[in-house]
Amino acid sequence: MTKDNDHISKRKFMEELYRYKRGSVTRRHFLGVTGLGTASAVLAAAVPALRPRRAWAQGDIGDRVVLATWPNYHDPANFEAFTEATGAAVDVNVFGSNEEMLAKLQAGGSGWDVFVPTNYTITTYVGEGLIDPLDAARMANYDASAFDPRFAGPGIVDNTLYAVSKNWGTTGYAINISKNDNVTPTSWKEFWDMTMDSFSGRTMVHDYQLTTIGNALKYFGYSFNSVDPAELADAEKLLLDAKPHLFAINSDYQPSMRSGDAWMTMCWTGDGKQMNRDMPEIVYVLGKEGGELWSDFYAIPKGAPHLDAAYALIDFLLTPEVNAKEALFHGYPVADSRVNALLPAEVLNDPILYPAAELLDALEFGAAATLTDPNRAELLARFKSA
Amino acid sequence: MNKAAYAPPPSKATLGPIAELRNVSKRFGDILAADGLDLSIMSGEFLSFLGPSGCGKTTALRILAGFEAPTTGEVLLDGEIVNDLDPFRRPVNMVFQHYALFPHLTVAQNIGYGLRQRRPRPPRDEIERKVKTALEIVRLEGFEDRRIWEMSGGQQQRVALARAIVNEPKLLLLDEPMAALDRKLRKEMQIELQNIQRRLGMTFILVTHDQEEALSMSDRICIMRDGRIVQTGTPRELYDQPRNRYVAGFVGTSNFFDGVVESVAADQAQVSVKGGIVLAGRAISPVAVGQEVSVSVRPEQIRLERANAADRPGWPVTILNRIFLGEHTEYLVKHESLGEFMVLTPRQAELSDGPFNAGERLMALWEAGGALVLKQD
Amino acid sequence: MTQRSRNLLLLAPAGAWFLVMLVIPLTVVLIFSFGERGAAGGYVPAFTLDQYANLPARWAAFKNTLILAPAGTLASLLIAYPLAYYLAVRADPRWKTVLLVLVIVPFWTSILIRSYAWIFLLGGRGIPALLAAIGIEDVRLINTPFAVLIGIVYGYLPLMVFPIFVNLDRLDKRLLEASSDLGASPWRTFLQVTLPMSLPGIATGCLLVFILLMGEFLIPAILGGGKVFFVGNALVDLFLQSRNWAFGSAVAATLVILMLVTVTAYMRLIRRLGAQREDVALM
Ligand SMILES: Nc1ncnc2c1ncn2[C@@H]1O[C@H](COP(=O)(O)OP(=O)(O)O)[C@@H](O)[C@H]1O
Ligand SMILES: [Mg+2]
């Protein structure tokens, strides 16, 4: 049994609530923000009787390992298998934003063994001395040559390996084309123009400065990562003009898209895939002007209490067979060629998961400076409180 | 005092009863709180419901006020059946047992409350004038703007009274209005209430469990027991001709000698009591030979004498106890067969023959007319 | 032990609590509000009024809060009063407790989950779909101030019901009979006796709900779709997203001051209304 079950059952409850066939699997889910996920995981960890007895282990790695990650980002069956094999139960702490993870690590005493940072945060963690370099020798299943350097690269800072690639994805938008005469738009320009016209009251944007401002910058053809005051002023004007036409400013967009309340939304790969699978009229679009490319990593925070278990868990999850099961469960692309070799062809050929090269080339990784820029943070806050 | 303000309203009830209960019963679950009440209330009279706690006095009052609908029977006001008339439409007002004054209003606002409910609403100065008069009547001039909680119990009671009489109701119902007052205040209020009633000519129905209160104030008294009216009459009627032992015991005090009727001639009965003694007495209601009855002799009907003239029948008794009451002296005496009984001797009598001392042996005697033969119930 | 030292001992736990949970944090907030944001977020000591000068940037949040908090309080009152009245005065005494528990039951579930249910009810497949069925097309409820108002009323109803219930339950029913006896119809009895006598309960309920609403952020976040923005939401963003503690503190301090001013004015008003009453202790 894994501690993630608690969270899963809660999700099941929500599913029944909305009578969604497959439920909402949103990467930066609202649950994380409100701390509900964290609370249940902590509770479960506090009850020792719930922890399984150790069955078998290659050397003693302890009876538990604490993982801080995003909601619905793992196959619970894999955690069960890990516990079966090593005797260490996985305590899952669910988070809602990179900022929150950073704040928690900065405060100290997080108790985490493994966490899942996004590419643009790693240099900050290194700079603040919050994470330890990874010892590749302790991860038998890590094969650097198998990883696409485009996605795995941000894990290496100053030629030192700090984080190994978990998944990658894009940030585009999802649109219900049945509301648009079955015409699929192709650009961020169309996204914003439609929002203020035929889709008024039906569009959602993220409650996340990186993507919401970044994709507004794209309307003008500016860099997704721009911190230029003039360019940001243009973006702010666009956002303020669009605000009265928005359905919501919320990163939990699947329920509204599925219910038909919202027709178009900024969207991450996995959500786009899930909605498209259930409702083919919802298609996933990468703006031709570009947008965000992101990748998530496994990393070990400084002072992890169960270091052996941390390495064991990362190594286990990097096992190609295990990682393939993960990918099939959550639907995000993997940068590991060994894993891709195990995935069915229809997954690899899916244009949502693996976009055409020219679309991918137009995308930018979010930059560390973009995330921490005070002007961008304040801009989004002004936009929301306008 | 502005008496004219409270001239009794002209009413056809001066000809007949102003209120009537016709075979009224009220059932609360298993409890029959009122059981076949029959009663006519005359305009301008002061009537009391007297009975022990729980006998249904309040229930009878609440039926008249309209707070309880009778289970069976009819309620009439001014000759009309009002069973279904809401309380707020009845020309009846009530002084509640714990006054039920409005704590959020001043004294004047409390008193004017009923007037302000009238439609059309009387002009402000008229309300003010009437409130002022009412305050004068209950002698609370100058207390207009006081808060209720600033008033003493006695003053609150007066406010409650003023709040009711200011509406000039056809019927004023008072539910044990003096129960919460101390003895001295109660006496004063009894007299005052009686004066007010006389002066205003209003019809009062008073509920009380205090026989002295009922006797001293009422024109008529309704003796109640277990939801039923046992006897209705003037205080004198009830005192002199109680229908049964219960009434005699409730109205004044009496000595009861229980026994069996031996013979009856006209209204005179011979009753065999303890120790083979036979007592004679007047039967208030017909009794039959063999019936169990009580012979009732009021303490003040009994005389005590030192010297016993052989020709006068008397009962040799020993004085057990003596209580000096000023005007009277109360003796507890004991006869070897009849047992203990009370004797009340006027001071007048003692001047010639008394006082008697505890332990003294005397003769107790009473006139034949002083003994009543009463049914047990 | 003297009476005085006993009193001090009695007050000590509350005093310590007050100091640790209220005075110290408020002082810190006040100090921070005159500081500046650090380059990487957080707080840098300074003495500047810049943060307060920047307050107009959150004008909409203050406006929303100052409109929707009183409106929500009023709406809660209008719905809670009849309910409390029914429970206290009309309901069969045998069922009173059960009914009361039913009012609290929703409180056993997180406000989050309860509000999520409203997302569905107010969304296109909920009430608007029903309205469409009777010919009222294209009603948008979710993510509007109205939706937030509904969520507020729903979430805070028990808080409003309880003080009013307790008040009405204690109301001497004989006063109502007295009023009726004096010729007042049931409606006039309600207006002249029940309502004024239940003012303390109303005052307590309104105060509780209003104070909590001034700091609310969850309901607007969920049912307002991020578009109905309260000061509470602005604070969440300032502390958790942009990590601008100085400005966040200025906003928080302003909110506290606004709250103090409103609540003081409100208490004055209530005290004036209640000056004519026996139970002066309205709080
Ligand atoms: N509302 C009621 N419900 C049930 N029983 C009642 C009610 N009112 C009175 N009773 C019962 O009826 C009987 C008479 O009560 P009441 O009229 O108040 O007596 P009293 O005023 O003479 O003391 C009592 O046994 C009392 O318990
Ligand atoms: Mg009574």
Side-chain angles (χ1 to χ4, degrees), chain A residues 13-14 17-20 29-31 34 36 97 99-100 102 106 128 200-202 207-208 243-250 252 258-261 279 372-374 377-378 380-382 384-386, chain C residues 37-40 54 57-61 64 109-110 112-113 116-117 119-120 122-125 138 140 142-143 218 221-222 224-229 233-234 236-238 240-244 247:
Chain A
F13 168 68
M14 306 293 270
L17 204 61
Y18 312 126
R19 298 186 205 132
Y20 290 135
H29 193 276
F30 201 66
L31 278 187
T34 56
L36 260 194
S97 74
E99 288 89 332
E100 212 187 331
L102 175 61
Q106 271 175 327
E128 303 262 318
S200 180
R202 298 296 186 180
D207 183 4
Y208 193 41
K243 184 169 180 188
H245 300 283
L246 292 177
F247 172 72
I249 304 167
N250 194 334
D252 188 16
R258 287 171 183 266
S259 73
D261 282 324
M279 301 173 66
T372 54
D373 182 58
E378 179 59 16
L380 190 83
R382 277 199 304 271
K384 282 169 71 181
S385 76
Chain C
R37 182 189 197 267
N54 195 23
R58 294 296 180 278
W59 161 241
N64 282 338
T109 326
S110 146
L112 184 76
I113 291 173
Y116 262 101
I119 293 186
F120 173 76
L122 298 172
R125 292 178 181 180
D138 202 25
R140 311 260 182 98
I142 188 70
N143 300 348
L218 208 53
I222 296 173
K227 289 179 66 191
V228 185
F229 208 68
N233 303 88
V236 169
D237 272 7
L238 280 169
L240 294 184
Q241 299 274 355
S242 43
R243 294 192 307 279
N244 189 344
F247 186 39

